[in-house]
Amino acid sequence: MFAALGEALVDLIEHPDGRYEPCLGGSVCNFARAMARQGQRVRYLNPLSSDTFGQRFVARLQSDGVDLGQVPRSACPTSLAVVSLGPGGVPSYTFHRQHVADRDGTADELIARLPAALRLIHTGGLALAPGDWPKAHTVLLAAQLRGAVVSVDANLRPVVVGPGAADQAAYVNAVRQALGMAQIVKLSDEDVRAMGWHSADLSAVGAQLLSNPMTQLVAFTLGADGAMLMTRQACVQLPVPAAVAVVDTVGAGDCFQAGLLAWLANEHHLTADALGQLTASDLEAALRHAMATAAINVQRKGCEPPGWDETRAWLRA
């Protein structure tokens, strides 16, 4: 079983006429929904609010097949992100995250919610911000002690911390620590720049990440330039699938990561040893499935991940 550790928040998405539409989101919550729709058993760990949005999250996650276990209802409100869409539907975010439900509770309470048969734990996004990282770090350590593979999506949102150099440096340092704990890491091209890696050669960045003995697989999402997967033995980059009419890109990276992990799970590659043995052919097949999962999602408003069969049919077509 998979576990997902991180935020569930409401995206207030701007429309051209100035209206804001509330959409249930949050990187890790999106990932959990996408994994469940891809046919994987996944538990969302963080508390959900008892407010109206929290009730909607419970209904949405359960309808998608996400296991909520004994996740308590928090008296704190649901997190909010105001999403303004720029050219090409690319989102920018302003966060409201003080005293909110998904940050409620202790590390010990989160650890108690880990499923017994834990194969992989995924985290990233706002769980890696300096105020949240110590708690996430403790949970990841507990999951590692149970033999779980760790997946981390950097998904940096610099506006979630203060604008000062010290605040930004602390955030980048927390993300670096998280990436160092993971067998599977994912970064967007924007993440690479935010981390301070200005090399135009992403293979050099990937090699630096893979110099950590823990890391077995690195994924880069490159927007209009496609995506790349790297191991110590192989590297594959593919362009964006043809004829994709982008509505918006909300949740695209989360769906990509879910598609990637679902393919690896179905092909029995989700162990540290198996990840280290992936061939170029394996990487290409995994990347095509991950990119197709994201491509279907970006043709829909908000985050609406496809199912496994839908993704396979889209690839065949």
Side-chain angles (χ1 to χ4, degrees):
M1 191 171 188
F2 294 77
L5 174 70
E7 74 272 14
L9 55 79
V10 171
D11 292 319
L12 296 177
I13 300 178
E14 182 183 21
H15 288 269
D17 62 3
R19 292 182 300 111
Y20 282 89
E21 178 184 6
C23 295
L24 304 186
S27 175
V28 173
C29 183
N30 288 341
F31 167 84
R33 294 180 55 223
M35 282 298 292
R37 290 193 182 189
Q38 286 284 307
Q40 302 299 316
R41 295 178 62 225
V42 56
R43 176 174 293 173
Y44 179 72
L45 299 176
N46 293 63
L48 296 167
S49 178
S50 57
D51 66 14
T52 300
F53 285 136
Q55 294 170 24
R56 292 180 185 178
F57 269 114
V58 170
R60 176 70 62 84
L61 287 162
Q62 289 180 336
S63 70
D64 285 329
V66 176
D67 179 357
L68 296 180
Q70 299 300 314
V71 173
R73 303 297 174 260
S74 170
C76 297
T78 299
S79 301
L80 295 178
V82 180
V83 185
S84 299
L85 298 179
V90 177
S92 63
Y93 296 82
T94 303
F95 293 97
H96 302 271
R97 300 250 321 137
Q98 295 300 315
H99 309 293
V100 292
D102 62 271
R103 301 179 72 190
D104 201 7
T106 67
D108 286 343
E109 289 168 341
L110 292 166
I111 291 168
R113 295 172 203 144
L114 290 171
L118 180 63
R119 296 178 64 191
L120 177 144
I121 185 168
H122 172 81
T123 192
L126 303 185
L128 309 185
D132 297 79
W133 168 238
K135 185 189 300 185
H137 178 259
T138 301
V139 178
L140 292 184
L141 285 175
Q144 285 180 322
L145 288 173
R146 300 185 187 190
V149 170
V150 174
S151 162
V152 172
D153 181 356
N155 200 13
L156 276 87
R157 295 289 183 260
V159 297
V160 82
V161 299
D167 293 325
Q168 294 295 318
Y171 188 11
V172 168
N173 184 57
V175 174
R176 288 181 186 272
Q177 290 180 46
L179 295 176
M181 296 181 69
Q183 285 91 357
I184 302 170
V185 303
K186 173 187 167 294
L187 301 96
S188 68
D189 49 355
E190 293 177 343
D191 292 331
V192 171
R193 290 190 292 271
M195 294 288 291
W197 292 315
H198 300 296
S199 172
D201 182 6
L202 283 179
S203 61
V205 177
Q208 181 177 341
L209 290 164
L210 288 163
S211 67
N212 172 24
M214 180 71 72
T215 305
Q216 303 297 326
L217 176 63
V218 177
F220 293 110
T221 54
L222 310 173
D225 293 326
M228 176 190 296
L229 292 181
M230 286 186 65
T231 65
R232 293 179 182 85
Q233 291 77 34
C235 178
V236 173
Q237 182 172 350
L238 294 174
V240 172
V244 173
V246 177
V247 174
D248 70 48
T249 60
V250 174
D254 312 317
C255 290
F256 175 96
Q257 189 73 350
L260 172 62
L261 296 182
W263 188 92
L264 292 170
N266 280 346
E267 296 296 322
H268 309 290
H269 291 304
L270 267 187
T271 66
D273 289 342
L275 289 167
Q277 300 302 315
L278 290 168
T279 65
S281 177
D282 293 329
L283 293 183
E284 181 174 349
L287 187 54
R288 289 191 185 281
H289 186 89
M291 293 179 72
T293 307
I296 295 170
N297 180 75
V298 301
Q299 296 178 84
R300 301 166 175 173
K301 184 172 65 175
C303 183
E304 288 297 336
W308 174 270
D309 290 341
E310 182 182 7
T311 306
R312 301 312 296 173
W314 193 88
L315 279 168
R316 290 192 296 271

